Amino acid sequence: MSPSASAGAPRWTYLGPEGTFTEAALRTLPGAGEAVSIPMASVPAALDAVRRGEADGAVVPLENSVEGSVSITLDELATGEPLLIEREILLPISFALLVRPGTAFEDIKTVSSHSHAQPQVRRWLAANLPDAHWSSAASNADAARLVQEGRYDAALAGEFAAARYGLVPLVTDIHDVEGAVTRFVQVRRPGSVVAPTGADRTSVVAFIVDDHAGALLEILQEFAVRGVNLDHIQSRPTGDGLGHYFFAIEAEGHIADARVGEALMGLRRVCAAVRFLGSYPRADGVRPQVRRGTSDPEFADAADWLDRCRRGDD
């Protein structure tokens, strides 16, 4: 909880405990200093608190530039009670090897971190701690807490977690890939969509009718023919048995853009169901390249032409 939070301050949950990269991402948000920040034990717990009305919003990890999508977040947003993404945060990721004071490098026999972190430092571990046993923790900060309790010798976590858990960074700036970034999203209960900025992203989940040849092509065509570029598409099992999938899709643009809105309508026609996850500003500020024939005025002109044809005025 922020020490300066007042009774009327917004309440934000996040993947805890204190000292996670998710908390670090939350601290970058406007108004974070006045908000009540509530660490939760898992991504589902953070999101469910918002669904129950116990929090105004949640910050959760969605994608890492090295390891890809965070499946638990994606699945929760796709199949749980609906929530809306209103903001994304890009956070550079670098790990530190945190140990209890007095621990030497040669003393490290066990290492813990979040399962999504281990692939980001796999080569470093192989080169520097080849005989150490790695174990998964609920979060990187939780790994630091377990080291504090004596359960493990070292944790791979953010360097900022060291002071919180009485640890010291034995090695800093650990990563296999230079410039690794994790994308976090701030979500809230459904409501009005964030206004377009011109540099936006739209996220949806599409559930196909059945597994058949061309199912993915049908989805892609709805975007391609309207000039909507896709940033990301990934298939995930629905859990209803083999052959049942949904596609998580991120597209350039805002639902208020004619080309995006029409693409979503087309998607709704060919899919069993479509869940809108939100249109929100891109953290990198990248604006889409609008192809000729796909701007809002051109869509409006085409619709006006069609109306005139139907009335016999053209």
Side-chain angles (χ1 to χ4, degrees):
M1 178 183 300
S2 169
S4 61
S6 64
R11 296 168 60 84
W12 296 345
T13 57
Y14 66 93
L15 174 62
E18 295 178 4
T20 60
F21 286 109
T22 309
E23 184 189 21
L26 183 153
R27 296 299 177 199
T28 69
L29 294 175
E34 290 73 44
V36 178
S37 303
I38 309 167
M40 307 297 285
S42 66
V43 167
L47 297 178
D48 284 343
V50 180
R51 291 174 173 130
R52 292 192 299 266
E54 297 169 2
D56 300 296
V59 175
V60 291
L62 184 63
E63 180 186 13
N64 177 264
S65 60
V66 176
E67 185 61 5
S69 297
V70 180
S71 298
I72 185 63
T73 302
L74 197 57
D75 293 347
E76 274 291 313
L77 292 176
T79 60
E81 187 177 333
L83 293 169
L84 201 65
I85 300 173
E86 63 177 344
R87 188 190 302 270
E88 66 177 20
I89 308 114
L90 300 180
L91 188 74
I93 301 296
S94 182
F95 297 91
L97 188 69
L98 306 184
V99 299
R100 293 182 297 278
T103 301
F105 204 83
E106 56 270 19
D107 298 329
I108 298 174
K109 307 301 180 186
T110 55
V111 181
S112 183
S113 68
H114 188 269
S115 59
H116 221 70
Q118 194 265 355
Q120 300 177 55
V121 294
R122 185 184 295 117
R123 292 199 298 271
W124 186 92
L125 283 171
N128 295 275
L129 291 168
D131 299 322
H133 176 74
W134 176 86
S135 295
S136 176
S139 68
N140 297 312
D142 193 53
R145 180 184 63 81
L146 295 172
V147 171
Q148 180 190 46
E149 295 176 357
R151 297 269 299 275
Y152 299 104
D153 298 324
L156 284 161
E159 185 177 354
F160 45 78
R164 173 64 183 80
Y165 295 99
L167 305 177
V168 294
L170 199 58
V171 184
T172 60
D173 197 27
I174 299 171
H175 51 260
D176 286 351
V177 178
E178 188 76 31
V181 173
T182 293
R183 184 159 64 102
F184 299 84
V185 289
Q186 181 184 13
V187 302
R188 56 174 170 80
R189 290 182 294 281
S192 57
V193 180
V194 178
T197 67
D200 304 291
R201 194 191 310 274
T202 293
S203 296
V204 297
V205 175
F207 294 82
I208 61 176
V209 176
D210 54 52
D211 185 20
H212 62 274
L216 176 57
L217 178 61
E218 291 171 0
I219 289 174
L220 296 177
Q221 283 177 328
E222 297 299 333
F223 293 96
V225 298
R226 295 171 177 89
V228 178
N229 187 45
L230 299 185
D231 295 319
H232 182 86
I233 183 166
Q234 178 180 349
S235 65
R236 291 287 300 160
T238 63
D240 295 330
L242 293 176
H244 297 273
Y245 303 94
F246 67 80
F247 289 94
I249 301 167
E250 293 187 337
E252 290 183 349
H254 194 281
I255 193 172
D257 300 332
R259 65 187 181 281
V260 177
E262 291 211 5
L264 297 186
M265 286 194 294
L267 198 64
R268 181 64 182 87
R269 289 195 302 270
V270 302
C271 293
V274 177
R275 172 172 288 191
F276 174 65
L277 297 181
S279 288
Y280 46 93
R282 292 180 60 129
D284 58 15
V286 174
R287 293 176 174 265
Q289 292 186 352
V290 181
R291 281 174 26 203
R292 181 182 180 279
T294 66
S295 68
D296 281 10
E298 288 166 315
F299 269 98
D301 180 68
D304 181 61
W305 170 82
L306 182 60
D307 285 341
R308 295 198 307 272
C309 290
R310 287 171 170 168
R311 296 194 305 266
D313 295 339
D314 193 277

